[in-house]
Amino acid sequence: MDGFGETLDAVTYKYGADIKAVKNPSKVGYSFKEWDKKTPKTMPAEDLTVTATWETNSYTITYMDGFGETLDAVTYKYGADIK
């Protein structure tokens, strides 16, 4: 799962089969941090759900005058209201 409730990829393995590594996901406005648990090398005797964890990206708006001087710089997290 992607940490936002969406399934990234569902794969069925038989017990004891080698598990292939999944590439890290990407999502606009977020940086992938890690999987919530380590994926075993072989399939255990139970269902397994591994969920991505994310960090919200921050972006800076720089306000400049017409002469190239910075008036202000404000940093916001992705999706935040700009004030």
Side-chain angles (χ1 to χ4, degrees):
M1 295 196 66
D2 72 354
F4 294 94
E6 298 175 19
T7 299
L8 295 171
D9 198 8
V11 182
T12 301
Y13 292 98
K14 291 185 177 185
Y15 169 73
D18 290 340
I19 295 177
K20 295 178 185 171
V22 175
K23 76 175 197 172
N24 293 341
S26 62
K27 189 166 188 72
V28 173
Y30 300 89
S31 294
F32 174 79
K33 284 179 61 178
E34 62 188 357
W35 297 105
D36 69 336
K37 62 183 78 133
K38 185 174 177 163
T39 303
K41 293 188 183 285
T42 59
M43 187 64 194
E46 61 188 10
D47 290 340
L48 179 66
T49 299
V50 181
T51 302
T53 58
W54 303 89
E55 183 173 317
T56 305
N57 294 340
S58 294
Y59 300 96
T60 301
I61 299 174
T62 303
Y63 298 93
M64 300 181 77
D65 65 14
F67 301 101
E69 296 293 321
T70 299
L71 300 173
D72 197 9
V74 184
T75 301
Y76 295 96
K77 291 224 179 247
Y78 175 76
D81 290 335
I82 297 174
K83 301 174 184 177

